[in-house]
Amino acid sequence: MRALVFRGVGQPLQLETLDDPTPGEGEVVLKVGRCGICGTDLHRTEHNIWTCRPPVVLGHEFAGEIVALGKGVEGLKTGMRITALPYIGCGKCRACLAGNPHYCPTRLNTGTEDIAGGYAEYVKVGAGSCLPLPAALSLDDGALVEPLAVGLHGVKRGGVQPGDRVLVIGAGPIGLAAAYWARLAGASRVAVSAPSTRRQPLAEAMGATAFIAASDDAALAAASEEALGGAADVVLECVGQTGMIQRALACVRTGGRVVVLGVCLQPDTFLPLTGLAKEADLRFSVVYDVAEFQACIDALDAGHVSPRAMITDTVSLADAPAAFEALRSRTHQCKVMVAPWA
């Protein structure tokens, strides 16, 4: 199969020919239809504490068609269009049986050193992580499910309730997904903040009732309170840079909740007194479970399809390395999809 291989920091992804994957027991192989480029993949190809050990085929936001079944797989068949959580668990432990293979002690993470990911013509996944796509949904929709599920999990961690005032810090795909789910959860007002207004139309399309272009903590807190009609009940931090936790604490109401979804790869500091004085809850959120993946599929199938606006480009495997590198700088792109068979 053709695949994009990360060979080292500072090098573009290389288009190479690799062996096709073979499904083991409890596994299936997909013909990849779409795979989204994620900021996590960019982080993991840079010098930091999270850098991949090459060679690695990245890509964990994918959807496709089942082309091979391993031993013991039930309820799935070749030709099915599915999306899947990017983990292969043992299928027998408490975490796997609860639909949470991310916490399986022996899990393999797809798109990492563990197992080749979706920047390829084929990818191997765990049968227990597979979810069929309804006929009305496209493979693009299927590849959006993973980032949408990250946002959903964060909103659930924040306990967003009908009538809540929610501030989302960051207007990348995860911030936009969080805004989408906050509105579907019944938030009365949802403000999205970013340093510039270039993502404002997308944020509004995803459900934001206000957009704030502010980079100063005090200015954001004041603008957020005005836009929301009061201090935020829940603040969802979706940037992942130093200083963002302090910024979120400055914006949340007394007794409110801050949820960190952003991946910050450097040590950070914040003033505990800010949270202490407000008795604010500080929570962290990572990935999702099978039920949350299904909830994303159900929402899209029910017609809540505004996330489609996040897809700003689709590229072939040949063109993907240049598109990948371009995303390291500020760009008009939001979610770029790789189409391995284009």
Side-chain angles (χ1 to χ4, degrees), residues 126-260:
S129 295
C130 295
L131 294 98
L133 293 176
L137 299 191
S138 67
L139 293 177
D140 280 321
D141 295 326
L144 282 175
V145 167
E146 197 275 350
L148 286 177
V150 174
L152 172 58
H153 190 69
V155 167
K156 289 174 65 177
R157 290 281 295 148
V160 176
Q161 300 292 321
D164 275 351
R165 297 181 294 255
V166 177
L167 171 65
V168 179
I169 301 177
I174 301 306
L176 295 172
Y180 168 82
W181 282 110
R183 285 292 280 169
L184 286 183
S188 59
R189 299 187 186 185
V190 177
V192 175
S193 76
S196 74
T197 59
R198 62 192 175 90
R199 291 273 173 86
Q200 182 171 353
L202 269 177
E204 291 172 346
M206 294 285 282
T209 58
F211 191 91
I212 303 168
S215 56
D216 174 80
D217 292 4
L220 176 57
S224 170
E225 188 165 347
E226 180 179 357
L228 295 174
D233 299 296
V234 181
V235 179
L236 302 167
E237 190 285 291
C238 302
V239 176
Q241 295 178 358
T242 56
M244 291 300 107
I245 292 177
Q246 180 63 34
R247 180 166 297 173
L249 288 169
C251 294
V252 75
R253 69 162 173 83
T254 298
R257 302 172 297 282
V258 170
V259 182
V260 178

Side-chain angles (χ1 to χ4, degrees), residues 6-280:
F6 168 65
R7 290 286 177 183
V9 174
Q11 302 178 38
L13 301 180
Q14 303 294 314
L15 182 56
E16 301 180 13
T17 300
L18 307 177
D19 292 338
D20 293 349
T22 301
E25 183 174 358
E27 298 173 349
V28 303
V29 172
L30 300 185
K31 178 181 179 181
V32 180
R34 292 289 187 275
C35 185
I37 296 177
C38 177
T40 298
D41 298 331
L42 296 169
H43 287 320
R44 300 213 67 207
T45 56
E46 299 167 346
H47 279 301
N48 54 56
I49 62 171
W50 212 13
T51 309
C52 284
R53 298 187 304 274
V56 173
V57 178
L58 299 160
H60 57 272
E61 305 175 357
F62 48 77
E65 178 184 317
I66 296 176
V67 293
L69 303 172
K71 181 181 178 181
V73 174
E74 299 178 354
L76 299 172
K77 59 183 180 180
T78 58
M80 269 184 146
R81 297 181 319 123
I82 69 160
T83 186
L85 284 71
Y87 304 104
I88 298 179
C90 69
K92 301 173 183 177
C93 69
R94 178 177 297 182
C96 286
L97 293 175
N100 205 341
H102 173 69
Y103 291 112
C104 175
T106 62
R107 77 179 185 276
L108 299 176
N109 292 10
T110 309
T112 71
E113 298 89 343
D114 293 347
I115 189 167
Y119 295 171
E121 291 178 328
Y122 299 100
V123 66
K124 182 167 63 174
V125 298
S129 295
C130 295
L131 294 98
L133 293 176
L137 299 191
S138 67
L139 293 177
D140 280 321
D141 295 326
L144 282 175
V145 167
E146 197 275 350
L148 286 177
V150 174
L152 172 58
H153 190 69
V155 167
K156 289 174 65 177
R157 290 281 295 148
V160 176
Q161 300 292 321
D164 275 351
R165 297 181 294 255
V166 177
L167 171 65
V168 179
I169 301 177
I174 301 306
L176 295 172
Y180 168 82
W181 282 110
R183 285 292 280 169
L184 286 183
S188 59
R189 299 187 186 185
V190 177
V192 175
S193 76
S196 74
T197 59
R198 62 192 175 90
R199 291 273 173 86
Q200 182 171 353
L202 269 177
E204 291 172 346
M206 294 285 282
T209 58
F211 191 91
I212 303 168
S215 56
D216 174 80
D217 292 4
L220 176 57
S224 170
E225 188 165 347
E226 180 179 357
L228 295 174
D233 299 296
V234 181
V235 179
L236 302 167
E237 190 285 291
C238 302
V239 176
Q241 295 178 358
T242 56
M244 291 300 107
I245 292 177
Q246 180 63 34
R247 180 166 297 173
L249 288 169
C251 294
V252 75
R253 69 162 173 83
T254 298
R257 302 172 297 282
V258 170
V259 182
V260 178
L261 293 88
V263 178
C264 184
L265 299 176
Q266 303 175 41
D268 194 10
T269 60
F270 62 89
L271 183 63
L273 179 61
T274 307
L276 184 73
K278 295 181 175 182
E279 284 200 334

